[in-house]
């Protein structure tokens, strides 16, 4: 029966008074981006990954708005905790889908892996991360709702940390391969070697080589590469911070710093969705994102 006016705020789930403005702003902006993305349906799997991620973000911030009304209520707290923890895993899945398509544009000869193997390796790792985070969040949620022993809450916390750590490690390997691929392409350019080659498929070899060169030189494609790099860093940064936050425990100091939450969750995730909506890969890469050209 506690309210802000009757109980000390430190006895609530958050230990600070939730600021309504940034949470309502993030909620409204993410709903807008979710709607806007429906005008760009190219690339089904990328579309689904990003849309599901946004849905989890929207549910998470809806939970925080609910908690602003009642900071002692369990439903809002559990919604924001679970949904905002899992959402970035869907964004990373969308990001993983793009690298194989980029390899198609520049040619597989510069890549350590065949184009198709990027999704075959990184998407399953991302699914494992999602499952662990979901299981951990479920255990923690049940413990909170049933006022279970601290051991159950700690177990849920540890499983979520394992899922997040898997996500961080997977993204680190992914970023390392991206950097390696970029350096190998630049090396080829410095030696005046062609960066694009023909790929067997629906188009003739010569037309594919011409198409790849055209895409590579377009400002939209170059802008997309920058947007993808920004989104990758944002998701990685968010995941690393979440691991550090949860590793400190439910009563850790980072858990109760609202400014860090706003900066390292809301701002980073909105930037991720925004840049990948403005520079949508289906819009910037065309047929390459559909998978009809390989990858």
């Amino acid at each position: 029966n506690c309210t802000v006016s009757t109980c000390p705020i430190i006895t609530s789930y958050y230990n600070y008074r939730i600021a309504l403005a940034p949470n309502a702003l993030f909620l409204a902006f993410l709903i807008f981006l979710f709607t806007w993305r429906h005008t760009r349906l190219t690339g089904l799997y990328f579309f689904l990954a990003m849309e599901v991620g946004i849905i989890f973000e929207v549910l998470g911030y809806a939970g925080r708005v609910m908690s602003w009304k009642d900071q002692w209520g369990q439903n809002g707290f559990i919604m924001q905790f679970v949904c905002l923890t899992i959402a970035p895993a869907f964004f990373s899945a969308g990001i993983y889908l793009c690298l194989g398509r980029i390899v198609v544009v520049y040619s597989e000869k510069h890549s350590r892996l065949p184009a198709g193997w990027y999704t075959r390796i990184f998407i399953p790792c991302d699914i494992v991360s999602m499952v662990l985070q979901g299981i951990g969040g479920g255990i923690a949620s049940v413990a909170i709702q049933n006022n279970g022993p601290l051991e159950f809450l700690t177990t849920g916390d540890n499983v979520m940390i394992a899922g997040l750590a898997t996500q961080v490690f997977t993204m680190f390997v992914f970023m390392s391969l991206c950097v390696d691929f970029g350096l190998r392409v630049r090396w080829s350019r410095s030696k005046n070697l062609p960066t694009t080659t023909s790929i067997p498929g629906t188009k003739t070899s010569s037309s594919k080589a011409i198409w790849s060169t055209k895409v590579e030189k377009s400002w939209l494609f170059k802008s997309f590469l920058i947007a993808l790099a920004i989104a990758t860093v944002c998701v990685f940064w968010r995941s690393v911070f979440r691991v550090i936050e949860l590793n400190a425990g439910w009563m850790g100091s980072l858990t109760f710093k609202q400014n860090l939450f706003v900066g390292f969750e809301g701002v980073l995730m909105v930037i991720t969705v925004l840049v990948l909506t403005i520079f949508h890969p289906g819009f910037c890469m065309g047929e390459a994102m559909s998978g009809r050209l390989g990858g």
Side-chain angles (χ1 to χ4, degrees):
N1 296 324
C2 277
T3 65
V4 174
S5 59
T6 60
C7 295
I9 203 67
I10 60 173
T11 63
S12 72
Y13 283 114
Y14 299 89
N15 206 26
Y16 58 77
R17 181 65 175 122
I18 292 178
L20 178 62
N23 292 289
L25 180 63
F26 290 145
L27 177 60
F29 196 56
L30 286 164
I31 292 174
F32 166 73
L33 290 176
F34 177 84
T35 305
W36 185 20
R37 290 188 62 84
H38 275 73
T39 66
R40 302 184 174 191
L41 300 179
T42 307
L44 176 61
Y45 296 117
F46 177 83
F47 168 79
L48 290 176
M50 295 298 295
E51 292 294 81
V52 173
I54 296 175
I55 289 173
F56 273 100
E57 287 283 336
V58 168
L59 290 174
Y61 282 103
R64 286 187 69 84
V65 171
M66 289 170 57
S67 292
W68 174 76
K69 295 180 179 180
D70 179 12
Q71 295 205 184
W72 288 262
Q74 292 181 347
N75 292 337
F77 174 75
I78 293 173
M79 277 180 61
Q80 65 90 35
F81 176 75
V82 175
C83 292
L84 296 181
T85 299
I86 295 176
F90 290 94
F91 297 148
S92 60
I95 291 171
Y96 296 150
L97 288 167
C98 296
L99 182 56
R101 308 299 191 241
I102 294 170
V103 169
V104 169
V105 175
Y106 282 109
S107 168
E108 288 185 337
K109 71 177 184 178
H110 305 297
S111 173
R112 300 285 182 182
L113 299 172
W117 278 94
Y118 287 100
T119 53
R120 294 172 191 170
I121 292 174
F122 290 106
I123 295 300
C125 291
D126 204 56
I127 292 174
V128 170
S129 168
M130 291 181 197
V131 170
L132 289 174
Q133 292 179 55
I135 292 173
I139 294 172
S141 299
V142 171
I144 292 171
Q145 288 179 324
N146 298 329
N147 294 317
L150 183 61
E151 288 78 8
F152 286 175
L153 194 59
T154 302
T155 298
D157 189 29
N158 289 336
V159 175
M160 292 187 76
I161 291 173
L164 285 164
T166 301
Q167 182 180 341
V168 168
F169 176 76
T170 303
M171 291 204 75
F172 177 78
V173 174
F174 173 80
M175 290 190 296
S176 299
L177 289 173
C178 288
V179 172
D180 176 74
F181 179 73
L183 291 175
R184 288 164 68 89
V185 170
R186 287 182 64 87
W187 180 85
S188 295
R189 285 179 171 175
S190 68
K191 300 297 182 181
N192 293 320
L193 300 176
T195 57
T196 56
T197 59
S198 60
I199 306 170
T202 56
K203 290 187 175 183
T204 64
S205 296
S206 59
S207 64
K208 272 198 172 182
I210 294 172
W211 173 86
S212 297
T213 302
K214 182 179 179 181
V215 171
E216 179 192 343
K217 293 182 177 180
S218 72
W219 71 268
L220 276 175
F221 180 68
K222 293 176 181 177
S223 299
F224 165 68
L225 294 180
I226 295 173
L228 187 66
I230 292 172
T232 303
V233 171
C234 286
V235 174
F236 182 74
W237 189 349
R238 164 59 178 153
S239 301
V240 169
F241 175 76
R242 193 63 165 157
V243 170
I244 297 172
E245 180 186 30
L246 288 178
N247 194 55
W250 289 81
M251 300 301 291
S253 59
L254 293 180
T255 305
F256 302 130
K257 293 186 182 297
Q258 184 169 208
N259 58 336
L260 294 181
F261 174 85
V262 171
F264 292 164
E265 209 303 316
V267 172
L268 292 181
M269 292 302 95
V270 165
I271 290 174
T272 297
V273 178
L274 181 62
V275 297
L276 291 180
T277 299
I278 295 175
F279 299 102
H280 191 289
F283 177 63
C284 296
M285 288 196 293
E287 289 181 278
M289 196 59 196
S290 68
R292 292 195 296 269
L293 300 175

